[in-house]
Amino acid sequence: MKTCQRFTRIRTGYEQDITYLRNHSERHHGTPSGKVSAKHSAGAKRAMARALNRHYERCPECG
């Protein structure tokens, strides 16, 4: 699947956020902030999927 630079930029931004949240939740495992980070990480993954699907459907270069 060939994608454009904007698709890569969107994916990279979300992946950085997800990695940060996941690392925080692992460092603070069992604490309230760790649990919240884990939930936000899962939400960010869903948001990334929606954003990339939306982009892929509308982008003439990716489609």
Side-chain angles (χ1 to χ4, degrees):
M1 174 171 86
K2 186 174 188 290
T3 57
C4 67
Q5 290 179 351
R6 187 163 188 261
F7 183 93
T8 305
R9 221 176 22 248
I10 294 169
R11 187 183 70 221
T12 304
Y14 274 107
E15 286 175 346
Q16 287 175 349
D17 292 343
I18 292 166
T19 302
Y20 174 79
L21 291 167
R22 188 176 296 143
N23 288 340
H24 182 269
S25 69
E26 289 175 4
R27 279 193 311 270
H28 300 282
H29 182 73
T31 64
S33 67
K35 293 176 186 177
V36 169
S37 287
K39 287 182 183 179
H40 284 304
S41 172
K45 278 182 104 172
R46 286 190 296 274
M48 178 179 72
R50 283 192 307 266
L52 292 177
N53 282 333
R54 194 176 325 120
H55 170 81
Y56 190 77
E57 290 172 353
R58 296 182 174 135
C59 180
E61 191 175 333
C62 290

